[in-house]
Amino acid sequence: MAQLSLHKIEKIYPNGFQAVHGIDLAVRDGEFMVFVGPSGCAKSTVLRMIAGLESISGGQLRIGNQVVNHLAAKQRGIAMVFQNYALYPHMKVRENLAFGLKLAGLPKAEINQRVADAAELLEMGHLLDRYPKQLSGGQAQRVAVGRAIVKRPEVFLFDEPLSNLDAKLRAAMRVRLTELHQSLRARGQPATVVYVTHDQTEAMTMGERICVLKDGRIQQVDTPTALYDRPANAFVAGFIGSPEMNLQPAQLVCAGDGLALQWAEVQLPLPDAKAAKLRLNAPCAVTLGLRPEHISVLPPQGGSALVAGTLRFTEHMGSEVFVHATIGGLPFTARVPADALGTLAGKARGDSQLFHLQPAALHVFDAATGVNLLL
Amino acid sequence: MSAPTTLLFTAHDAEVAAAQQRRSERRARAQLLLRYTALAAVAVLMLYPIVWLVGASFKSNAEIFGDAGFWPQHLDVSSYAKGWKTSTEFTFATYFLNSFLIAVPRIVVTVISCVLVAYAFARFEFWGKKLLFSIMVATMMLPHVILRIPQYLMFREFGWLDGYLPIIVPSAFATDTFFVFMLVQFLRGIPRDMEEAAMIDGCNPLQLLWHIIVPMLKPAIVSVVVFQFIWTMNDFMSPLIYLSTVEKYPVSLALKMSIGATEEVEWSSAIAISVVALLPSVAVFFAAQRHFIDSAASSGIKG
């Protein structure tokens, strides 16, 4: 296993389009790093550059202590799991697993041992003599992971490996991959993993650290909780979390001795601790951010600001309910426990409802650049 | 009282539905019958010349021209024996062997050269690729006749006349551009992920071709083999131009000889031997049919 470091990595296509703008990132030895971002953010391009499937236009890529910019894919000590599995259709599962080892010239006994180990680890011993077309999606996925494991690579690369599975299987495989990473670590073979996904749930649940990308630039690299609690900018704030954070244009205004945020006709007082961090002269335009769980129909613990909104509709998720409403014509979402639903009983679309907003949980972003002003 | 009403309604409803289903089944059956009748009629029309050929091969010379029907009055296999012996000192066994001596090496060099060229065009970036590809496609439009004279002069200089090399060697340079074009199109349809996976697994470009691409190209390669076999068996012009010794003649030339320029034509034996000459092509086609169907459907890509 090895650490992976990207230093000012760039990708410029022959037509002049720059897809990746000087990325700096260090993935620690044995770390599970997730690249997440919307379509077209170049997360897959970065992964393919690490794999050696895409040339690197600028910067330096190191795996372990070696610069690998100009090494062929096979010399980089990596293994990759593809979105559509890319199993060799004319080979049985056993041959699919052994193919890379055979090319590497490993002795037959060792190949058999490694294939058997991987089959046991992924519980697919009964699949070894099948052809890929005889496998279900989940099974093919496991074989693809197995093909990576037998190689005992320095770095594992995953390119949206779960996006072809149905929702239920995806959740199961998520748990399985996380467990696999932990069990490899327990065995003393910690695996450095770079995992690409567009699904923030996958990123939050699997990643030890997450790298959020947008338009070929890194927005923030941190642990899932840190990303959630302290997003570096409005983009990260909106991308991480489901339902997404309420982001609204607001005015920073003076209110008494302190500061407040003027949102539609509502004035939310900013707690002193937060106000102290702001280096702005009120009044000025900002973007206000408040996660749905910090808006409730019941009075929360601690202070809250009471605001009247107009109900639009609700989404029942089982244990909780997403309440969609507007305040002064601006839409927002609240996330309330299902047992608080009694408060909404008998209310219809267009009815007025009082919401409790928690000013202590407010985020303030720069209106132009989106930078988090409270960090 | 509402429950019985509902039940009655349901029973009636089911009856109506069943009648409707019966009607639509009848209509579907009638449509099917019509479709098969039309198809069978066209098939008979297309196949009749071949059926007639087989029938006529058992007829006597007089009956061939006296009777339009395809069923012979008596089964007379003597035309086959006479046709096989030919009017030359060699039997058709020699001519069939000669045909295979041309077809088999030609198929081998065609497959190797066309797959290599198609691989380069479909998977590599090199200077002038687009221009070269369009030049190659343009040669498909070139009538072969144009090449005859320069090629003949060239092969005469090489001292290759009256041998099989002039027929076989050009194919070793991927000059059967139709096959290259077909393979390139097929390759373009195969996702590259498997090749990328194989590159990470440690394949160099030639290993990639042999271990991954050739197995996936199998249906297309089988088509190349079948077409090249049939076309080579049917090729009349090239052997006619390059071969002068009767002993080296392939089936196509020998057939022409059996019609002969002298005296009366033995039509029945000429027809009988035509039927025999058809058999290898038909056999190869049916043997390969399985592979046409077993195509990229078995791909390991999901998505």
Side-chain angles (χ1 to χ4, degrees):
Chain A
M1 291 305 118
Q3 65 159 7
L4 173 76
S5 78
L6 288 76
H7 181 65
K8 301 208 183 312
I9 292 289
E10 288 188 345
K11 177 70 192 177
I12 303 169
Y13 285 103
N15 64 8
F17 174 70
Q18 182 158 11
V20 179
H21 303 262
I23 280 185
D24 286 304
L25 179 69
V27 183
R28 297 175 201 129
D29 194 358
E31 185 177 31
F32 200 120
M33 169 70 80
V34 177
F35 285 1
V36 70
S39 299
C41 73
K43 54 191 187 297
S44 281
T45 308
V46 176
L47 191 79
R48 289 171 60 83
M49 286 199 284
I50 298 172
L53 298 172
E54 201 86 57
S55 64
I56 298 171
S57 314
Q60 200 179 54
L61 176 68
R62 283 171 176 270
I63 296 177
N65 294 322
Q66 199 182 9
V67 177
V68 297
N69 280 41
H70 299 292
L71 286 188
K74 62 175 175 181
Q75 294 164 313
R76 294 190 182 191
I78 47 124
M80 185 156 166
V81 177
F82 291 80
Q83 181 176 359
N84 46 24
Y85 322 137
L87 300 177
Y88 311 126
H90 54 286
M91 297 184 198
K92 287 182 178 169
V93 168
R94 185 189 302 281
E95 293 156 346
N96 261 286
L97 296 178
F99 184 64
L101 305 179
K102 243 185 241 171
L103 286 176
L106 257 61
K108 208 159 183 180
E110 160 122 41
I111 296 178
N112 289 341
Q113 185 57 45
R114 285 203 195 179
V115 169
D117 280 352
E120 194 199 324
L121 191 65
L122 292 163
E123 295 162 42
M124 56 179 191
H126 60 295
L127 304 175
L128 286 178
D129 290 310
R130 293 202 196 163
Y131 282 99
K133 64 181 167 188
Q134 296 166 314
L135 302 176
S136 70
Q139 290 170 336
Q141 224 288 320
R142 260 149 63 200
V143 175
V145 174
R147 191 170 62 179
I149 286 180
V150 291
K151 290 181 69 186
R152 303 199 179 145
E154 302 277 344
V155 179
F156 283 91
L157 306 175
F158 288 85
D159 190 6
E160 308 209 17
L162 304 186
S163 51
N164 278 349
L165 301 178
D166 63 60
K168 200 168 174 178
L169 202 51
R170 200 180 309 157
M173 281 307 290
R174 219 160 58 200
V175 175
R176 213 175 170 126
L177 284 177
T178 310
E179 268 182 349
L180 182 69
H181 184 247
Q182 280 162 8
S183 69
L184 284 175
R185 184 176 285 165
R187 277 174 161 210
Q189 317 168 4
T192 310
V193 173
V194 179
Y195 185 107
V196 162
T197 179
H198 61 264
D199 179 353
Q200 62 91 24
T201 316
E202 247 170 57
M204 291 293 279
T205 51
M206 300 176 79
E208 289 173 328
R209 277 198 305 159
I210 300 174
C211 170
V212 184
L213 286 152
K214 185 195 171 201
D215 299 334
R217 289 190 174 86
I218 291 183
Q219 303 296 309
Q220 191 174 4
V221 184
D222 219 325
T223 61
T225 38
L227 282 186
Y228 194 80
D229 295 336
R230 298 183 296 279
N233 56 41
F235 173 78
V236 176
F239 194 79
I240 300 290
S242 173
E244 62 184 70
M245 183 187 278
N246 297 295
L247 292 166
Q248 298 288 352
Q251 283 286 327
L252 186 70
V253 293
C254 292
D257 331 330
L259 293 169
L261 289 170
Q262 180 80 36
W263 171 32
E265 67 267 30
V266 183
Q267 206 172 70
L268 295 170
L270 209 56
D272 291 342
K274 286 187 187 282
K277 289 185 188 167
L278 284 177
R279 287 180 187 81
L280 289 175
N281 293 323
C284 74
V286 293
T287 300
L288 158 163
L290 192 58
R291 294 218 177 263
E293 59 267 36
H294 298 132
I295 304 177
S296 182
V297 291
L298 295 176
Q301 304 267 316
S304 73
L306 209 56
V307 170
T310 311
L311 289 172
R312 289 168 67 213
F313 59 93
T314 55
E315 287 179 299
H316 293 258
M317 307 304 291
S319 66
E320 54 189 18
V321 180
F322 302 155
V323 181
H324 297 265
T326 56
I327 292 177
L330 296 170
F332 73 95
T333 309
R335 180 179 184 165
V336 302
D339 40 8
L341 207 57
T343 328
L344 295 172
K347 298 250 170 141
R349 183 183 169 82
D351 284 357
S352 163
Q353 167 71 37
L354 285 176
F355 290 93
H356 298 267
L357 277 56
Q358 299 175 28
L362 274 174
H363 297 269
V364 183
F365 304 100
D366 188 291
T369 63
V371 171
N372 191 337
L373 298 171
L374 295 177
L375 287 185
Chain B
M1 283 309 284
S2 71
T5 327
T6 316
L7 269 180
L8 270 178
F9 178 75
T10 312
H12 178 244
D13 209 33
E15 225 168 77
V16 171
Q20 244 167 15
Q21 197 183 347
R22 274 198 299 279
R23 256 202 308 281
S24 70
E25 267 173 21
R26 259 204 306 279
R27 203 176 307 139
R29 262 206 303 278
Q31 271 176 1
L32 206 66
L33 195 70
L34 196 72
R35 202 177 306 156
Y36 274 91
T37 315
L39 287 173
V42 175
V44 167
L45 202 69
M46 306 293 273
L47 283 175
Y48 189 76
I50 290 178
V51 174
W52 184 87
L53 186 80
V54 175
S57 69
F58 296 104
K59 292 175 181 175
S60 66
N61 237 3
E63 199 189 339
I64 290 172
F65 296 102
D67 191 355
F70 64 86
W71 202 251
Q73 275 158 3
H74 3 256
L75 273 183
D76 182 5
V77 292
S78 63
S79 326
Y80 280 88
K82 217 190 292 175
W84 186 262
K85 261 190 276 178
T86 75
S87 54
T88 65
E89 56 195 296
F90 310 103
T91 64
F92 253 91
T94 310
Y95 303 130
F96 269 111
L97 182 70
N98 290 343
S99 276
F100 291 132
L101 283 179
I102 298 172
V104 173
R106 189 171 180 199
I107 288 169
V108 172
V109 297
T110 305
V111 168
I112 294 173
S113 63
C114 291
V115 167
L116 280 173
V117 173
Y119 180 42
F121 275 126
R123 289 294 192 260
F124 292 90
E125 291 306 321
F126 51 88
W127 190 84
K129 171 173 147 171
K130 278 189 179 153
L131 180 72
L132 286 172
F133 190 71
S134 35
I135 290 175
M136 190 201 73
V137 172
T139 61
M140 275 202 284
M141 319 294 164
L142 201 67
H144 284 300
V145 175
I146 292 178
L147 296 173
R148 293 285 180 209
I149 293 173
Q151 274 189 344
Y152 184 88
L153 294 175
M154 193 170 79
F155 293 134
R156 195 184 58 184
E157 291 303 308
F158 292 169
W160 285 0
L161 294 186
D162 200 24
Y164 299 147
L165 287 180
I167 308 172
I168 297 165
V169 171
S171 291
F173 296 92
T175 50
D176 302 272
T177 41
F178 170 72
F179 295 140
V180 177
F181 184 69
M182 190 177 84
L183 290 170
V184 167
Q185 293 304 331
F186 197 93
L187 263 174
R188 281 180 180 161
I190 298 179
R192 300 181 75 150
D193 299 48
M194 280 173 275
E195 290 157 50
E196 292 179 341
M199 268 160 64
I200 292 175
D201 265 348
C203 277
N204 63 36
L206 274 182
Q207 287 172 319
L208 201 63
L209 179 68
W210 182 246
H211 290 297
I212 308 296
I213 293 180
V214 166
M216 286 194 297
L217 263 184
K218 205 170 91 183
I221 291 175
V222 168
S223 323
V224 171
V225 170
V226 172
F227 282 124
Q228 188 67 301
F229 182 80
I230 293 174
W231 291 349
T232 307
M233 287 300 275
N234 290 348
D235 186 15
F236 179 74
M237 205 57 157
S238 310
L240 181 71
I241 291 171
Y242 295 117
L243 300 177
S244 46
T245 314
V246 174
E247 196 186 346
K248 293 178 181 168
Y249 276 13
V251 171
S252 54
L253 284 188
L255 262 181
K256 173 70 182 75
M257 275 202 311
S258 69
I259 298 174
T262 54
E263 63 214 69
E264 191 187 340
V265 178
E266 274 286 346
W267 283 111
S268 57
S269 40
I271 287 172
I273 212 65
S274 310
V275 172
V276 177
L278 276 178
L279 292 179
S281 298
V282 173
V284 165
F285 179 79
F286 280 106
Q289 202 185 25
R290 191 168 57 87
H291 295 283
F292 287 132
I293 298 160
D294 178 32
S295 67
S298 61
S299 136
I301 291 274
K302 194 177 160 83

